[in-house]
Amino acid sequence: MTRNPKLVLYEPDETFAERICDYWINQKSFPFEVTCFSSYEKWRSMYPKLSADVWLLDSSIADEIQQDELRGRVLLWTDDESQESAIYKYRSADILMQTLKDCLDTTAGAAADRDQTRVLALYTPVLSQLQTVTGMEMARILSEHGQVLYLPLTGFCAVKNLLADHYSKDISDFMYFLAQSEQQSTILIQNYIFKTEGVELLAPVDNPDSLRAVSADEWLRFLDFWKQSGRYRYILLDIGREIGEVPRLLQACDRVCALRENTAVSEGIWHQYEQYLEATGYLSLMSRTEVITLPPAREEFGGMETSAYKRQLAQQILVKAEMI
């Protein structure tokens, strides 16, 4: 009989340790057999006798840990959100659970196959406030088919209003981490990921200038990092006008979707966009771009703000892009 992998937890806050362990253990998908310590004295007396596949230890004892004495993966966690080398413990319990599962080789098959990760970009040269609303709805639908990461690469983004949790790190912070960190593991990135309605995402920036300062090479590295993580079945990029050299980023995506209004102005801008792609050598992008002309929402669905309209539009886009 195959044994369950073992997790040893040291958390000095007894109430917090009890609550999070109870939550994890009651989840059918949690793979570990858990041994928990909240007493420092008991931890010190017992740890030389223990074995574990994963150790989750409060960062207050970091200086005492001899990792060569502990077989298995050693993770530190902390109540200091600014500590980059440790996991922030007051995250969603589901995200913490996934972090622990990611440490196990035995769960590698459960993660999205790297070669199967599909990248969809939502970009429109005609600015539309409906784009982000549609993007979030698309992400919700994709989450019904597999693990999805939603990346809002646009300024003044209303996605922030959907994040119930307090956060202090956004996409620009992650870009800095990616540039500086030598240990770009799926463990440390959990401090940047938020989860809402089954969708994982990075928080959008406060200042659009943070996006304008990022080069195309950096965006390509950013996208490649998420693709190579093997964690996601779908990656959805919601791209705004602040991103430079957009065609280079779009070329790295499997499919591109865009919204077009049925007006003469919109038609003229689209013509200019195609001329721009031709002049820059990216006209072939149009063969992978699905342009969705917005239907008369008021007559058919009662207006663009209705949930029926947003769901129908998002579904239409994903079907045309052959993502679902």
Side-chain angles (χ1 to χ4, degrees), residues 59-195:
S59 60
S60 62
I61 61 171
D63 294 339
E64 305 175 30
I65 297 171
Q66 301 295 324
Q67 296 206 17
D68 55 350
E69 296 179 3
L70 302 178
R71 298 183 61 186
R73 187 68 175 270
V74 179
L75 305 177
L76 299 178
W77 73 344
T78 178
D79 57 6
D80 180 2
E81 194 173 4
S82 65
Q83 188 174 341
E84 297 285 354
S85 60
I87 301 168
Y88 181 53
K89 64 177 66 175
Y90 300 123
R91 306 288 302 185
S92 159
D94 289 333
I95 291 180
L96 289 172
M97 182 171 67
Q98 184 62 51
T99 300
L100 297 173
K101 291 167 68 177
D102 284 346
C103 292
L104 298 177
D105 291 338
T106 54
T107 61
D113 187 285
R114 293 183 183 184
D115 295 333
Q116 296 299 315
T117 300
R118 306 188 69 190
V119 181
L120 176 64
L122 185 60
Y123 172 74
T124 228
V126 185
L127 189 62
S128 172
Q129 63 182 16
L130 192 59
Q131 178 171 309
T132 295
V133 173
T134 306
M136 275 302 300
E137 191 62 38
M138 289 166 61
R140 293 187 188 101
I141 294 173
L142 288 173
S143 70
E144 298 168 7
H145 299 268
Q147 190 84 343
V148 59
L149 176 67
Y150 175 68
L151 298 172
L153 307 183
T154 183
F156 306 116
C157 183
V159 170
K160 285 188 174 185
N161 300 331
L162 303 176
L163 300 178
D165 296 335
H166 167 75
Y167 65 90
S168 60
K169 295 182 174 67
D170 60 26
I171 286 176
S172 61
D173 295 304
F174 179 80
M175 295 297 290
Y176 179 81
F177 159 77
L178 192 62
Q180 300 295 321
S181 176
E182 296 180 359
Q183 186 183 3
Q184 295 162 1
S185 71
T186 56
I187 304 306
L188 296 181
I189 65 174
Q190 298 302 321
N191 290 335
Y192 297 86
I193 293 174
F194 295 85
K195 190 169 184 178

